[in-house]
Amino acid sequence: MNTPPPAARPSFGEALRFWLKLGFISFGGPAGQIAIMHEELVERKRWIGENRFLHALNFCMLLPGPEATQLATYCGWLLHRTWGGIAAGVLFILPSALLLWMLSYVYVVHGQVGWLAAAFYGIKPAVAAIVAAAVIRMGRKALRRRVHWLLAALAFGALFFLKVPFPAVVGGALAVGFVGARLRPEVWAESRPGQTGGAGAPEDRSDADLSEAGRGRTSLWRTSKVALVCLVLWWAPVLAAAWWQGWEGTPARLGVFFSQAAMVTFGGAYAVLPYVGQQAVDHHGWLTASQMLDGLGLAETTPGPLIMVVQFVGFLGGWSQPGGLSPLQAATLGAGITTWTTFVPCFLWIFVAAPYLERLRENALLSGALAAVTAAVVGVVLNLAVWFGAQVFHPRAGVIDGFAIGLAAAAFLTLQRWKGGTI
């Protein structure tokens, strides 16, 4: 069967329209969002090749912060450098931020918003099907050697049965892959760029089309300049809030706390939310435990990163502690500074490190180590798929949702057998 050639590199306008659409359809947490990006960017549009996509995903899994947001930023940077990365990252976040701001206002004024869960009830089974299809596709292309299959199985078992922390699983895979590629390169070495390796010619040629963008300028001066700009943008609102209301004011405390959280949030939203919830409820008193759970429910039923629940925390923190402003003004300011300090670091990590990482793509040791991370990531996504499916199909003890199972099966067949689109 002839394989279709890779698509031409998109214009900035085409990419902009796609990133905006992605911001509105990115349901299902990191697993669903990564699956949607893989389906659209690699399988359908063929703007980015399989090798390049997995290389970016491996790196983003190692970073603190929301990996799906960072992956979108990385892919946008690959396509159109800095402005592409900014557009992709901002548009991935913006629809969710605006929608959650409106829902937070409805929540504090009118109470529960259970209608939202009903409105999005049908989306969750479809996302479960998208994630399951993505696991199959990623597994076929990423698990190229027996040792990779073994690592994927071990990663899944460590997460699902032993409850090993996510950073330990990914970090362990990186270390094992690095040592393995050094001692037994014939067993661990990743397929080189330009080889098929299971991904096929169009992906490799797509990757080659991005080489010029990926091999951007790297120098100490450039790195320092990018880091300085990102750091100034990151901390300027926090310092302004502290100058205006003092360090004990709610906006400054929110900015400092979520800046600290942004640097240690390894393992995705579910790994860090217990810490955020405990500090926000017990230490700062920004909201109650019941409100924290309601905020998580809102974040789960809206598009965008699940970690966006921190915006709900900031909104309620400002609303409950307005500090001389009207509750709505304080809540909007709290939501804004929380979202800003949570997501601006994502751009710092990508824009500083991605050019160096792209230059090291052909390094055999790094390729072998990241191939091991790729294998572990397949196990991680499988674990997320099982967890997400359990929440959708088995919502309460003793309850099996047959309608959700049927809807997910229909969506899975549409994707796999009839090659239907995500939309």
Side-chain angles (χ1 to χ4, degrees):
M1 186 177 73
N2 293 328
T3 309
R9 188 174 168 187
S11 68
F12 187 78
E14 287 179 288
L16 201 66
R17 289 189 292 274
F18 168 74
W19 297 122
L20 180 61
K21 180 184 80 169
L22 180 66
F24 283 101
I25 66 171
S26 56
F27 291 91
Q33 291 151 7
I34 292 168
I36 290 170
M37 279 188 274
H38 184 271
E39 168 76 14
E40 292 290 322
L41 291 171
V42 178
E43 299 285 339
R44 293 195 170 275
K45 298 183 181 299
R46 302 190 304 281
W47 288 348
I48 295 177
E50 186 76 31
N51 293 336
R52 215 48 164 269
F53 184 87
L54 291 176
H55 183 77
L57 177 58
N58 295 338
F59 174 58
C60 294
M61 284 285 184
L62 298 173
L63 296 174
E67 59 266 30
T69 306
Q70 291 162 342
L71 179 61
T73 305
Y74 198 128
C75 291
W77 176 83
L78 279 175
L79 291 170
H80 296 104
R81 301 300 296 277
T82 301
W83 284 110
I86 292 173
V90 169
L91 293 178
F92 188 78
I93 299 164
L94 190 60
S96 172
L98 294 175
L99 181 57
L100 195 56
W101 179 90
M102 291 186 290
L103 293 173
S104 300
Y105 176 73
V106 172
Y107 177 87
V108 296
V109 173
H110 299 291
Q112 299 289 335
V113 285
W115 56 268
L116 183 71
F120 287 106
Y121 170 63
I123 290 178
K124 289 186 176 182
V127 171
I130 291 170
V131 175
V135 172
I136 294 173
R137 288 195 303 270
M138 291 175 66
R140 285 173 178 167
K141 296 176 179 179
L143 306 181
R144 301 173 181 177
R145 299 179 181 272
R146 290 181 181 179
V147 71
H148 295 154
W149 283 90
L150 177 61
L151 270 177
L154 289 174
F156 174 78
L159 289 164
F160 188 79
F161 296 108
L162 303 179
K163 310 303 180 186
V164 175
F166 168 87
V169 172
V170 176
L174 183 71
V176 169
F178 185 84
V179 173
R182 185 176 183 84
L183 299 180
R184 295 290 301 277
E186 73 281 2
V187 174
W188 287 86
E190 170 68 302
S191 298
R192 310 301 302 146
Q195 293 176 334
T196 56
E203 286 79 13
D204 295 329
R205 286 167 57 194
S206 295
D207 286 343
D209 291 340
L210 294 174
S211 291
E212 183 180 353
R215 297 174 187 273
R217 290 175 299 164
T218 54
S219 67
L220 182 59
W221 166 245
R222 178 209 166 271
T223 302
S224 302
K225 184 171 63 174
V226 170
L228 180 62
V229 170
C230 290
L231 287 169
V232 169
L233 290 173
W234 178 357
W235 284 99
V238 182
L239 295 174
W243 175 80
W244 178 34
Q245 291 193 343
W247 288 105
E248 292 304 313
T250 300
R253 288 195 296 135
L254 284 166
V256 171
F257 174 72
F258 285 104
S259 292
Q260 294 170 341
M263 292 184 284
V264 297
T265 53
F266 293 94
Y270 285 108
V272 74
L273 283 179
Y275 167 72
V276 170
Q278 181 184 29
Q279 293 294 310
V281 172
D282 297 334
H283 181 68
H284 295 285
W286 290 324
L287 72 175
T288 66
S290 175
Q291 289 172 331
M292 183 71 191
L293 290 174
D294 289 340
L296 182 59
L298 289 178
E300 285 184 321
T301 53
T302 53
L306 182 58
I307 197 65
M308 190 60 77
V309 68
V310 300
Q311 178 181 296
F312 180 83
V313 174
F315 188 98
L316 264 68
W319 187 276
S320 62
Q321 301 174 14
L325 300 174
S326 72
L328 182 57
Q329 289 174 331
T332 301
L333 180 60
I337 200 167
T338 298
T339 304
W340 185 266
T341 53
T342 297
F343 290 101
V344 168
C346 297
F347 297 91
L348 171 62
W349 316 141
I350 298 299
F351 291 156
V352 167
Y356 293 96
L357 196 72
E358 286 297 313
R359 284 184 172 271
L360 293 173
R361 284 187 71 238
E362 296 182 7
N363 180 281
L365 291 181
L366 181 63
S367 295
L370 290 181
V373 174
T374 300
V377 165
V378 174
V380 170
V381 177
L382 177 60
N383 176 67
L384 287 171
V386 171
W387 180 89
F388 188 72
Q391 307 301 310
V392 174
F393 306 140
H394 187 46
R396 297 181 301 279
V399 175
I400 301 296
D401 192 335
F403 178 79
I405 293 174
L407 192 58
F412 182 81
L413 286 174
T414 300
L415 288 168
Q416 289 294 99
R417 181 177 292 272
W418 299 302
K419 308 301 179 185
T422 303
I423 297 294

